[in-house]
Amino acid sequence: MLKLKHQLSHIFPSKLSTENKAHAYISTEEEIDKILDDAPILYCDEKPVIHKPDMYPKIYMLPEHFLCVMQNLIGNAVKYAHPDRTPEISIKVEDHEVEWRFSVKDNGIGIKEEYHEKIFMIFQRLHVKSKYEGTGVGLALCKRIVESYDGKIWLESAEGQGSKFIFTIPKLYHIREKSVSDLVSETT
């Protein structure tokens, strides 16, 4: 178990810890711009076409948590680009009565419906590492983070048709302080 926690500490950097940090309303525009300005996350054979949201709400969340979720979703959209198409990623935000609904949609390789739940489990991979790098931890962490804010995460996808990952963050949130290390412990 100690070896696993040591390995996970490299996957989940300490900067994601919430210790001694206060939750606050954050600008989703600033956080999304940070991700899109990060060249390595957008690296692929062909530069993706990015469609940014029409609106950017302020949400009650640690910026590190929002960045982690969005980096994973946008990074996966780039990583799993379809080899015969220019990568296209659409980031949207919808205002629902009690929650904000974020989505990251791509035109990539897609995911068979039978795997829609499995991909949110820790260390679950659908492809061999030699074809697509990764640890099988990113989406499990996204799920834990979103659920720690009383939100939900799911996907709509079909093989060969791209994927759309959707997550919600309630507009009114009752603080339950959790660090990323707590969230990782819950997944193991």
Side-chain angles (χ1 to χ4, degrees), residues 164-179:
K164 180 179 181 181
F165 284 85
I166 304 120
F167 70 95
T168 62
I169 298 296
K171 290 181 178 179
L172 296 175
Y173 173 72
H174 301 290
I175 301 172
R176 283 193 326 230
E177 295 282 339
K178 283 194 177 187
S179 69

Side-chain angles (χ1 to χ4, degrees), residues 14-181:
S14 60
K15 72 178 187 172
L16 290 178
S17 174
T18 62
E19 294 170 18
N20 301 318
K21 292 186 179 180
H23 286 71
Y25 282 95
I26 62 166
S27 165
T28 55
E29 181 173 22
E30 287 176 22
E31 302 306 322
I32 289 172
D33 284 346
K34 283 180 195 174
I35 296 165
L36 297 180
D37 290 342
D38 181 19
I41 198 170
L42 298 177
Y43 174 76
C44 60
D45 293 337
E46 191 171 348
K47 185 173 170 82
V49 175
I50 307 276
H51 302 281
K52 294 169 85 172
D54 294 331
M55 73 165 114
Y56 293 92
K58 290 193 180 290
I59 60 172
Y60 199 75
M61 190 175 198
L62 281 174
E64 293 88 350
H65 286 173
F66 184 75
L67 278 170
C68 184
V69 172
M70 292 302 287
Q71 281 175 332
N72 271 289
L73 299 181
I74 294 168
N76 282 351
V78 172
K79 182 191 308 185
Y80 298 105
H82 194 286
D84 299 328
R85 297 190 275 259
T86 298
E88 192 166 344
I89 302 167
S90 296
I91 305 165
K92 292 193 176 186
V93 182
E94 297 175 17
D95 183 354
H96 289 250
E97 189 172 324
V98 296
E99 66 190 11
W100 293 106
R101 185 172 290 180
F102 295 83
S103 66
V104 177
K105 181 179 179 181
D106 64 58
N107 64 344
I109 61 172
I111 301 167
K112 288 182 182 178
E113 188 173 351
E114 64 193 83
Y115 299 119
H116 286 195
E117 294 295 321
K118 181 181 178 180
I119 61 168
F120 290 105
M121 297 168 56
I122 195 160
F123 301 126
Q124 295 300 309
R125 296 181 43 83
L126 302 183
H127 307 280
V128 293
K129 283 187 178 185
S130 61
K131 188 165 184 174
Y132 297 101
E133 290 184 23
T135 60
V137 176
L139 290 174
L141 180 59
C142 289
K143 181 176 178 165
R144 290 295 180 193
I145 289 172
V146 169
E147 289 178 348
S148 77
Y149 288 91
D150 297 328
K152 295 180 180 144
I153 187 168
W154 68 95
L155 81 145
E156 298 168 356
S157 183
E159 188 174 30
Q161 303 300 310
S163 299
K164 180 179 181 181
F165 284 85
I166 304 120
F167 70 95
T168 62
I169 298 296
K171 290 181 178 179
L172 296 175
Y173 173 72
H174 301 290
I175 301 172
R176 283 193 326 230
E177 295 282 339
K178 283 194 177 187
S179 69
V180 169
S181 61

